[in-house]
Amino acid sequence: MDMILEIKDASFGYSQKTVLRNISFNVGAGELLCLLGPNGVGKTTLFKSILGFIAIKGGEITLDGQNIKKWSKSRLAKAVGYVPQAHTTPFPYTVLDVVLMGRIAHLGPFSSPSRDDVKIAEESLERLGVSFLKDMTYTEISGGERQMALIARALTQKPQILILDEPTSNLDYGNQVRVLLQIKKLSEEGIGVIMTSHFPNHAFLCSSKVVLLNKNGFKIGKADDIITETNMRDTYGINVRITRLADNHGAEIKSCVPLAN
Amino acid sequence: MLSSDAVSDEPLRNRAAAADARPMSRAKKSGLVLVILFILLLAIFLWSFTVGRYAVPLPELLTVFFRKMFGLSATWSDTLETVLFNIRIPRIIVALIIGAALSVSGAAYQGLFRNPMVSPDILGASAGAGFGAAMALLYSAGSLTIQLVAFVFGIIAVTLTYLISRLIAKGNNSVLVLVLTGIVVTSLFSAFISLAKYTADPNNKLPEISFWLMGGLASITAKNVSLVLIPFVIGIIPMLLLRYKLNALSFGEEEAQSLGLDTKKIRFIYILCATLITASAVATGGMIGWVGLVIPHLARMLVGPNYKYMLPASVLLGGAYLLLIDDLSRTIFAVEIPLSILTAIIGAPFFIYLLFKGRDAWT
């Protein structure tokens, strides 16, 4: 269960253009890493490279010390689960159908999911507390529910690492928080999580490790150390104030508040 | 916001409870629908012998089948033997295969290209085969040669589409580039067809080409069967075996990869198989539209979008549908009506009906 994903001195980019250079960090079991950075800095390029959609241009990516470059898609899918932004499909699949597709990496080339696979898919929905979605039509549920269904699908792959692409985009305020708390819970249960976000507060909420990407390179550290007023100005070009307040149980939470002037 | 969310969740939960209360699971229901479709296909198959010219009554037909099967001596006339085994059975088999081939290819392509508006001729198989047939007709070839040349040109057209799109996309296989290239190649071969027609003798060759393109099975005899049956069997087996994986492809390239699928390989296999069976179907029956578009929608409506059930349903429905259309084509009037005319006259209003039924999903 203690799988570690390591990015070692890697460069990322498309055919001609290198977007990110000399990136190194790692994510272990139970860790939550939040990828912050402005539009176009290469967050998407980075996680697409980890998922093997794009070949890396230098360095290496290893899982438990093994270079994943030559791994088959199904071997990678058993280790790393991907949660895309909530979307719709052209066809009206049921939520269970969608979640069951997470078993594909575990199936033989000619087989379709068995009763046991259905059980695993149902467990994933239950784990997220959304079993009631099971028989609903994926194209007719809300954005937040679709995001939950996609997380359930990734869990059904039984991965040790979960990669989420802006899991809160297009969600209302309540659903954003609900989805984030769910993700935090998963990482506490032992899954290594990498997610991209546009909101520094999401990193505070999940008390995660942060990789901050900007034009000066990258910084890695605890949310408290990385999300500072200076770093936010350098990264996003805006002035913010970091405030502290206490929640109902007296625990301190931080918040990043943008300033109007 | 929280309260509005809670409110909006309520009806959904109730709907889920109602769904749980249903006695039969969706899988079982889809399985049952497949059995019913098979029985329907069998019924249309048997009924097809009893209509039109040289109609054979059912009891006599069953006697023939029975005695043939056990190698008993013939109790029927030689004429019946010839009509049945050289004309009627080949035509029925070919109609079944063409219908099944077009609809299964359409169903696969709709998933592969993530677009419910796609039909099996999208990559140029149909236009290519049409051009091949027009050329063969221009040179007064026999029916078997026409079938063969049309088949080869159907394959050539799709190969061209595939290669050009690979060149354009430089290895990043883009579905959009493939479909756009297919449209270009289709229109190119359509122009070649027009050119063939333009140069054809307007007294005999031109009408021949025109009638061939409209689609029909009147000239089918036993010798035409193998050139459509063999590609069909070779093509449909991998398509059926791999069908569950098509579901993931309909979520897009990257997602399917992240689920553990070798998308390039699967897509190549499906395009190869669909091209094989579409080209041979068009080469045998002419350019028959609508089947590959409408039948997959009907199948989806009956058993849901899961390809595990949807693809077999498309095979059964497509076969039954085209056989029925062909029966109509040879029985409604004294002269046979070209198949593409009937499939359009029946298919177009039916598609409108499907759009009405599924309009929530479209708008």
Side-chain angles (χ1 to χ4, degrees):
Chain A
M1 214 34 201
D2 287 10
M3 187 174 266
I4 290 187
L5 174 78
E6 281 181 277
I7 317 289
K8 294 178 189 162
D9 199 26
S11 301
F12 306 98
Y14 296 88
S15 51
Q16 300 295 324
K17 205 171 125 206
T18 302
V19 183
L20 295 165
R21 280 169 220 281
N22 307 65
I23 306 283
S24 299
F25 63 86
N26 57 58
V27 182
E31 262 189 314
L32 198 157
L33 184 135
C34 191
L35 219 54
L36 292 174
N39 286 332
V41 78
K43 298 190 295 291
T44 308
T45 315
L46 198 157
F47 78 70
K48 284 189 173 178
S49 304
I50 299 173
L51 288 160
F53 303 158
I54 310 168
I56 59 169
K57 305 187 78 70
E60 58 177 15
I61 300 174
T62 62
L63 268 170
D64 271 352
Q66 282 182 290
N67 194 329
I68 61 168
K69 200 174 173 181
K70 293 263 154 60
W71 283 23
S72 69
K73 295 281 178 235
S74 67
R75 187 174 175 195
L76 193 60
K78 285 178 202 162
V80 182
Y82 169 51
V83 181
Q85 290 181 24
H87 52 42
T88 52
T89 57
F91 308 116
Y93 287 103
T94 63
V95 170
L96 185 65
D97 276 342
V98 174
V99 176
L100 258 177
M101 288 178 210
R103 296 307 294 167
I104 281 178
H106 299 265
L107 296 175
F110 302 140
S111 38
S112 51
S114 65
R115 225 172 266 265
D116 290 337
D117 293 315
V118 174
K119 209 173 282 170
I120 294 169
E122 286 172 346
E123 280 165 12
S124 303
L125 285 165
E126 205 167 307
R127 193 169 168 187
L128 298 171
V130 289
S131 293
F132 67 94
L133 291 176
K134 189 178 122 184
D135 293 313
M136 291 185 198
T137 304
Y138 179 78
T139 46
E140 291 168 2
I141 59 179
S142 75
E145 290 168 336
R146 275 205 290 273
Q147 192 69 67
M148 285 301 196
L150 291 174
I151 297 174
R153 186 183 70 183
L155 289 179
T156 305
Q157 290 171 237
K158 296 274 175 199
Q160 280 98 341
I161 305 282
L162 209 54
I163 296 182
L164 304 100
D165 179 15
E166 288 176 32
T168 57
S169 66
N170 304 316
L171 301 190
D172 72 41
Y173 192 55
N175 278 333
Q176 287 187 15
V177 176
R178 261 173 242 130
V179 167
L180 282 174
L181 292 179
Q182 226 18 282
I183 294 167
K184 188 181 179 193
K185 192 180 126 215
L186 291 174
S187 90
E188 284 163 2
E189 287 166 6
I191 295 179
V193 177
I194 302 175
M195 65 175 204
T196 60
S197 177
H198 283 305
F199 300 98
N201 283 341
H202 290 173
F204 282 137
L205 182 66
C206 298
S207 52
S208 71
K209 221 159 73 161
V210 170
V211 165
L212 184 70
L213 295 164
N214 59 30
K215 54 186 186 303
N216 304 324
F218 88 112
K219 287 192 170 72
I220 179 161
K222 283 199 202 138
D224 288 345
D225 303 329
I226 298 292
I227 301 171
T228 61
E229 291 169 10
T230 327
N231 279 343
M232 292 300 102
R233 190 169 51 239
D234 289 350
T235 304
Y236 296 107
I238 55 161
N239 292 318
V240 302
R241 182 71 42 85
I242 310 286
T243 62
R244 292 154 203 275
L245 46 144
D247 71 6
N248 294 340
H249 310 289
E252 182 186 77
I253 27 169
K254 280 184 160 184
S255 182
C256 178
V257 184
L259 303 177
N261 45 19
Chain B
M1 221 167 259
L2 277 170
S3 67
S4 83
D5 203 57
V7 170
S8 72
D9 267 6
E10 258 333 287
L12 291 178
R13 276 168 223 265
N14 290 341
R15 201 142 52 88
D20 279 341
R22 270 195 314 229
M24 205 189 280
S25 77
R26 187 156 169 176
K28 269 193 195 140
K29 214 156 77 186
S30 303
L32 189 66
V33 172
L34 287 182
V35 172
I36 293 169
L37 288 180
F38 181 75
I39 294 169
L40 182 78
L41 179 78
L42 208 62
I44 295 175
F45 173 78
L46 291 174
W47 180 72
S48 300
F49 289 93
T50 65
V51 294
R53 230 179 296 173
Y54 313 116
V56 185
L58 212 50
E60 198 176 348
L61 180 74
L62 294 177
T63 311
V64 176
F65 281 170
F66 180 79
R67 297 189 73 94
K68 275 273 175 188
M69 209 181 289
F70 294 99
L72 302 174
S73 60
T75 54
W76 53 88
S77 69
D78 285 351
T79 323
L80 182 68
E81 169 100 20
T82 313
V83 167
L84 209 52
F85 289 94
N86 201 38
I87 297 168
R88 190 58 72 236
I89 292 177
R91 181 165 180 166
I92 287 172
I93 289 175
V94 166
L96 281 173
I97 291 176
I98 292 175
L102 293 176
S103 61
V104 80
S105 304
Y109 276 6
Q110 287 175 6
L112 218 55
F113 301 131
R114 309 179 63 200
N115 188 335
M117 284 297 140
V118 163
S119 55
D121 49 13
I122 190 88
L123 298 184
S126 187
F131 172 64
M135 290 289 287
L137 285 162
L138 216 49
Y139 289 97
S140 314
S143 90
L144 205 57
T145 314
I146 297 169
Q147 200 185 359
L148 187 67
V149 173
F151 176 61
V152 170
F153 270 89
I155 304 276
I156 289 175
V158 179
T159 310
L160 217 57
T161 301
Y162 195 78
L163 292 180
I164 294 173
S165 76
R166 299 270 327 228
L167 276 180
I168 296 171
K170 272 197 201 153
N172 303 324
N173 63 83
S174 152
V175 169
L176 187 64
V177 172
L178 189 64
V179 171
L180 288 175
T181 315
I183 291 170
V184 172
V185 169
T186 299
S187 99
L188 197 65
F189 276 93
S190 300
F192 291 160
I193 292 175
S194 298
L195 190 66
K197 280 171 147 180
Y198 186 69
T199 54
D201 182 342
N203 291 318
N204 48 47
K205 289 280 149 53
L206 182 58
E208 253 183 74
I209 295 175
S210 300
F211 287 138
W212 190 95
L213 291 174
M214 285 184 205
L217 303 177
S219 63
I220 295 298
T221 57
K223 67 177 190 299
N224 298 106
V225 174
S226 54
L227 200 51
V228 68
L229 180 66
I230 294 168
F232 180 73
V233 171
I234 294 173
I236 200 156
I237 289 172
M239 289 175 95
L240 285 174
L241 285 175
L242 291 166
R243 68 187 189 277
Y244 182 74
K245 309 294 191 292
L246 268 178
N247 290 314
L249 274 173
S250 72
F251 280 77
E253 182 81 20
E254 289 183 344
E255 260 186 81
Q257 282 185 24
S258 80
L259 292 171
L261 217 55
D262 189 339
T263 52
K264 275 183 195 164
K265 198 157 91 188
I266 297 254
R267 178 173 305 129
F268 180 77
I269 291 172
Y270 269 99
I271 291 176
L272 187 73
C273 293
T275 301
L276 205 62
I277 66 177
T278 305
S280 65
V282 176
T284 310
M287 294 166 85
I288 304 163
W290 286 96
V291 180
L293 179 64
V294 175
I295 298 298
H297 281 269
L298 186 62
R300 208 171 279 124
M301 203 166 267
L302 291 176
V303 298
N306 189 338
Y307 275 98
K308 187 179 177 189
Y309 306 103
M310 192 276 216
L311 212 64
S314 294
V315 173
L316 296 172
L317 268 174
Y321 176 68
L322 201 73
L323 183 54
L324 196 62
I325 293 277
D326 187 49
D327 289 344
L328 292 178
S329 117
R330 63 189 171 89
T331 51
I332 296 180
F333 297 112
V335 184
E336 290 207 7
I337 310 164
L339 289 179
S340 66
I341 295 177
L342 279 179
T343 53
I345 289 175
I346 296 171
F350 184 68
F351 198 63
I352 296 288
Y353 163 75
L354 290 184
L355 288 177
F356 262 109
K357 272 205 80 172
R359 67 182 141 189
D360 293 342
W362 300 99
T363 48

